[in-house]
Amino acid sequence: MRKAKDLVPREADRLGTVQGHRDGFGFVIPDDGGEDIFLSEREMSRVMHGDRVNVRVLGTDRRGRPEGQIVEVVLHANKVVIGRLLNENGVLIVAPEDKRIGHDILIPPKGQGQAKLGQVVSVEIIDYPDSYRQAVGRVVEVLGEIDDPGMEIEIAVRKYGVPHEFSAAAMKEAAALPDAVQQEDLEGRVDLRDVPLVTIDGADARDFDDAVYCEPVMYGKTKAWRLIVAIADVSHYVKPGHPLDDEGLLRATSVYFPRRVIPMLPEKISNGLCSLNPNVDRLCMVCDSVVDNNGIVLAYQFYPAVMHSAQRFTYDIVWEILSNSKGPEAARFTQFRPLLSNLYSLFKILLSAREKRGAIEFETTETQIISNELGKILRIEPRLRNDAHRLIEECMLTANVCAADFIDKNKHLSLYRVHGEPSEEKLMTLRQVLRTSGLSLDGGEKPKPRDYAKLMREIKDRPDANMLQSVVLRSMQQAMYQPDNEGHFGLAYPAYSHFTSPIRRYPDLLTHRVIKSILQKKPYTPVLPPKVPLNLTLPRKGKGRENAVNAKKSQSDAKEIAARGARAPKGANAALPIWGQLGVHCSSNERRADEASRDVEAWLKCYYMRDHLGQEYAGTVTGVANFGLFIQLENLFVEGMVHVTELGGDYFQYDEARQELRGERTGIRYRLGDRLHVLVSRVDLDARKIEFSLVKSSGAESGGSSNRRQLLLAADTGRPNKKAAPNKSRPAHKAPQKPSGINVNAAKSAGTLGATQSKSKASRKNGKASKPGRSVGKPAGTKPPVRNTKARRK
């Protein structure tokens, strides 16, 4: 590994991971959890996103951030990079699809293989970059043309490092499994094949991992309901230490894309042997509970069983039966109407208990992408939810709560699903926004979930409900997995685990193993396979960052003990570090899956909007930042940005408390929830960004005026009307920094970006490169300089 010539490693140097930024600079995320260390573009020229480095803090930059210098590259993270093969002034390069990697990779004459210009390829890096030379690589895989069906998914799984191919050993083990339940599998199981359990899922579901049944019972002298939740017994087939388990741990979750799923386990298991398909025997783990008419669980038990699904229902069919007892679907499924009615009655009880408990309910509009046979978007529709969706959710919540309580009472280590209280900083910001809207959050410094639930009820019928709900949602922490039970704030549960989806979530599989071990009166301690790398990525902040720091430390301590040949510690808490590492790994892979899914959706939406360039739409401000407004188009459900430079010849000040941009001279304000009319001006497939130009506003307020709205035409913005980019153009990357305020007129006269560019990138921006699929962008000097900006890392 290379070291800086003028630096000698010393104890004060810190180990961390490089986090690249599309604007050329970067950060080192220290393993000790301290403040991120800024890396200038010059330092980033020597490293790549994801590299493990030793860094030395030399001081602070002009923005007050600790600034570092790379001492040593400990580990290169990028062995293979995905990108497009381009011709740069007669030289072949690959431009990475991951814009956090700021290095074009040079391809020598014999390194092109069979790839053609413009194609998407995987490149093995032969020589890594430093301050004086470019990265060099060779093409090892040709994925195809950028417009090929499904190419966006092929790019995303490689860009985010999502495992998408099962090992030969795992596939061999899966193939050796039987196609049906064997007689010897039934030993020690409760036979529920005479119970008419049913599955209720979406119309496009392929793996059915939960089935339900409900009937009224007497618990002593109390009228109650018996709820049976049967979950596929994946742990019977996926054994610790086997290749299938290694593959499941490596993925930790299934990844869902439009029209495609990257499963956690091979389809032989997920869609076959463990899927609770109708009219076949299946092994399951059962949560059998008794719930009274107040929604309180009076008793529960867990046991392994065998079941025979009586019917596969979809949400829509169930809702048709429940909402119209004389309709065609109700007549078609007459024998199941009593069961569904029982489930619906219990659902109403559980829903009432949820409200009394103070669980927070967000009413968001989920969308679904309707694609053609080539995988391209035809339209984007809101996903309609009905009580059948919520019915199943309440049944699953009950089973998950029982699982957490069972594990907690038996004092066995496991992974809990934890959702922490909002941080003081986020709470303060939320209260400031609420104050400007005439609202308040009860509870003082430590509000409870019921205080949030009360606020949500007050918000519900307001015209700005969507805006306020999004602000409340942003104040919440992110849920995660960890062995320490700290409760679930959003659901208002003292303990909560994931038990109901072992086909697609590894933490659920671990929960099953723990419950089985308790039933067998044997402790279960997971073993970390040496061949499975754990994802211990540090989140930006919060409890998740603290957990990741502890996990990294326990991992390095374990390696040090093994290297010395010493014995690992034993005792009641000896397994705690292992559970901690598993929690961080599963949480990190969950975030990775979400990022990959969002990336694909963003690409599809950009591709879709290329056909709408130059068209005008009404939209709503869904986000306000110091660099512009985020707008969601009505009816299309696509989000883009109006940059602050497009708002007119004024200096706009960002007010975080009010979530608004306000013009100092004109007093015009742009706030969350404002309606604007915009023109689709740019679509950048590379950056996954859609840019709008302001046409007129039906929601911007003039400061100090009681007038409801003020219209702004494009001619009033102090700049000429912008024409839409050609349909197939792809402008060069616009990388606005994040100012708290910009004087547009002064900035345009200044005419400088202030950021140095490499020769190849400068030539591309000035239109000198002959690259397929990349259009000429704006020359340097068309973006205003930044003043009074705060450091911000996306």
Side-chain angles (χ1 to χ4, degrees), residues 741-760:
I742 293 179
N743 187 320
V744 177
N745 292 333
K748 288 183 177 179
S749 64
T752 176
L753 284 173
T756 59
Q757 303 285 344
S758 64
K759 289 184 178 180
S760 63

Side-chain angles (χ1 to χ4, degrees), residues 436-695:
T436 63
S437 302
L439 295 168
S440 63
L441 174 65
D442 297 337
E445 296 181 357
K446 292 285 185 180
K448 302 297 182 185
R450 65 177 66 256
D451 297 319
Y452 278 86
K454 178 186 174 185
L455 173 64
M456 296 305 297
R457 289 193 295 271
E458 295 174 357
I459 288 174
K460 186 176 181 180
D461 296 325
R462 290 175 56 113
D464 56 354
N466 289 336
M467 179 272 288
L468 292 170
Q469 182 175 256
S470 67
V471 172
V472 175
L473 188 60
R474 289 170 193 168
S475 73
M476 297 282 105
Q477 300 269 24
Q478 188 172 33
M480 58 192 170
Y481 299 104
Q482 65 179 48
D484 298 324
N485 176 28
E486 297 178 357
H488 197 291
F489 186 82
L491 295 174
Y493 284 132
Y496 188 70
S497 288
H498 273 168
F499 165 78
T500 54
S501 297
I503 288 178
R504 60 186 179 89
R505 291 190 307 226
Y506 197 79
D508 301 56
L509 179 57
L510 291 172
T511 299
H512 279 231
R513 288 174 179 167
V514 170
I515 290 175
K516 280 188 175 182
S517 70
I518 294 173
L519 294 175
Q520 297 166 2
K521 301 188 185 314
K522 297 178 182 178
Y524 169 67
T525 301
V527 177
L528 300 177
K531 294 182 179 180
V532 178
L534 295 183
N535 183 357
L536 304 182
T537 305
L538 270 67
R540 289 190 59 188
K541 53 188 174 181
K543 185 61 185 295
R545 190 177 180 99
E546 178 185 335
N547 288 347
V549 170
N550 294 333
K552 281 180 176 288
K553 185 177 184 306
S554 64
Q555 186 185 58
S556 62
D557 290 346
K559 289 180 179 179
E560 185 178 342
I561 291 173
R564 294 200 314 261
R567 291 185 179 181
K570 294 183 178 181
N573 295 323
L576 186 59
I578 296 176
W579 283 105
Q581 292 176 45
L582 286 171
V584 172
H585 171 76
C586 293
S587 300
S588 298
N589 280 7
E590 180 184 51
R591 290 195 302 271
R592 181 181 69 183
D594 290 341
E595 289 172 357
S597 297
R598 284 195 295 266
D599 187 83
V600 168
E601 288 194 13
W603 192 95
L604 288 171
K605 288 178 179 179
C606 287
Y607 195 91
Y608 174 65
M609 291 304 293
R610 292 200 309 181
D611 295 332
H612 299 266
L613 282 166
Q615 298 180 15
E616 294 181 17
Y617 295 95
T620 304
V621 178
T622 56
V624 181
N626 47 17
F627 52 89
L629 307 171
F630 291 95
I631 313 289
Q632 184 177 78
L633 302 183
E634 297 176 3
N635 301 322
L636 288 185
F637 302 101
V638 169
E639 190 174 74
M641 190 188 77
V642 176
H643 194 266
V644 68
T645 56
E646 305 284 350
L647 298 180
D650 199 353
Y651 179 91
F652 282 87
Q653 188 70 35
Y654 173 54
D655 188 331
E656 184 178 10
R658 289 183 168 84
Q659 286 291 291
E660 71 175 22
L661 287 174
R662 177 170 180 152
E664 283 192 352
R665 179 173 56 82
T666 61
I668 294 174
R669 295 184 293 174
Y670 297 95
R671 302 185 62 196
L672 280 174
D674 285 348
R675 294 185 71 249
L676 304 173
H677 282 257
V678 295
L679 176 142
V680 183
S681 59
R682 291 187 184 278
V683 174
D684 189 343
L685 274 175
D686 282 343
R688 314 291 197 263
K689 286 184 177 180
I690 300 167
E691 297 182 16
F692 301 138
S693 297
L694 190 65
V695 177

Side-chain angles (χ1 to χ4, degrees), residues 354-370:
R354 178 193 184 103
E355 293 172 354
K356 292 177 184 176
R357 193 173 68 245
I360 307 171
E361 184 104 23
F362 291 101
E363 295 183 2
T364 57
T365 302
E366 295 183 9
T367 58
Q368 57 182 341
I369 293 175
I370 308 300

Side-chain angles (χ1 to χ4, degrees), residues 772-783:
R774 285 196 173 189
S775 64
V776 179
K778 291 183 179 180
T782 58
K783 281 290 181 187

